[in-house]
Amino acid sequence: MSATDEELLSARDAASFELLYCRHVDSLLGFFARRTRDPELAADLTAETFAAALASRRRYRPAAGAAAGWLYGIGMKKLADAQRRGYAEQRARRRMGMERIELTDDDIGRIEMLGDEAPALALVEKLAPEQRDAIAAHVLEERGYGEIAAELDTSEAVVRKRVSRGLATVRQRMGILR
């Protein structure tokens, strides 16, 4: 008998979370792709949602609702955050001369296979400490760039660049980018 989503999320072991990821990655990626019409943003939001779910899965309570609903609730928050910060990030990216990296259909197809490769969190751990800490603060802890910059006594642009470069490195190591 196959475990339910609720059982997988409550199990708290890596293999169970990987199975939950494999069950929902396609639908979550499609959900974000339909709402954003931006393949790179859809991939980023999917990764951020699963990273946040992994980091906060101890707070999931099966009695409060279905695991898939909880996962999509996190996704909706990530989407709302992205929409709020989208304009500011576009301006910052233009100022820093950073171009958006467009994902191909093959790249998006590779997202489906991420459950079979090294977990993203393990790849984040291998980043330079500045990038690792910036990603942990922004993606996992859901803190804003301004708050992180103030804590580190640096500019928001520096924090944005650390997060952007770190996520690009993780995507590259996962084989999403060529």
Side-chain angles (χ1 to χ4, degrees):
M1 182 175 155
S2 182
T4 66
D5 289 344
E6 291 72 23
E7 291 167 336
L8 293 173
L9 193 55
S10 297
R12 294 179 174 50
D13 63 283
S16 295
F17 192 83
E18 180 180 348
L19 185 53
L20 180 78
Y21 172 88
C22 290
R23 283 184 185 175
H24 293 282
V25 67
D26 289 343
S27 61
L28 196 59
L29 183 60
F31 170 81
F32 287 129
R34 285 187 299 277
R35 278 155 184 80
T36 66
R37 302 286 185 221
D38 180 339
E40 181 186 89
L41 181 57
D44 286 347
L45 290 170
T46 301
E48 287 183 23
T49 298
F50 279 108
L54 179 61
S56 63
R57 66 183 171 164
R58 294 196 191 298
R59 293 191 303 243
Y60 170 71
R61 300 290 176 256
W70 182 78
L71 187 63
Y72 276 85
I74 293 170
M76 287 298 295
K77 183 177 184 320
K78 294 294 182 186
L79 179 60
D81 291 346
Q83 290 170 335
R84 277 192 298 272
R85 71 179 184 249
Y87 178 71
E89 285 184 1
Q90 288 172 3
R91 286 182 49 220
R93 191 178 302 109
R94 280 194 302 268
R95 278 194 320 265
M96 291 185 284
M98 296 171 58
E99 294 181 26
R100 289 195 66 96
I101 300 169
E102 295 296 325
L103 298 176
T104 66
D105 289 340
D106 290 339
D107 295 329
I108 292 173
R110 297 243 333 127
I111 292 171
E112 297 170 5
M113 297 184 299
L114 293 179
D116 297 332
E117 298 186 43
L121 288 178
L123 294 174
V124 169
E125 287 299 317
K126 294 178 182 178
L127 292 172
E130 298 83 13
Q131 292 176 353
R132 180 185 61 232
D133 295 345
I135 289 172
H138 182 65
V139 176
L140 300 178
E141 297 168 17
E142 300 180 357
R143 294 170 49 206
Y145 290 116
E147 178 186 349
I148 300 164
E151 179 182 302
L152 298 174
D153 196 28
T154 191
S155 70
E156 281 189 47
V158 168
V159 174
R160 287 176 189 278
K161 193 170 272 191
R162 288 176 183 172
V163 170
S164 176
R165 286 181 178 168
L167 289 175
T169 299
V170 169
R171 283 191 303 260
Q172 182 179 31
R173 289 178 181 169
M174 292 172 115
I176 295 175
L177 302 177
R178 295 186 210 298

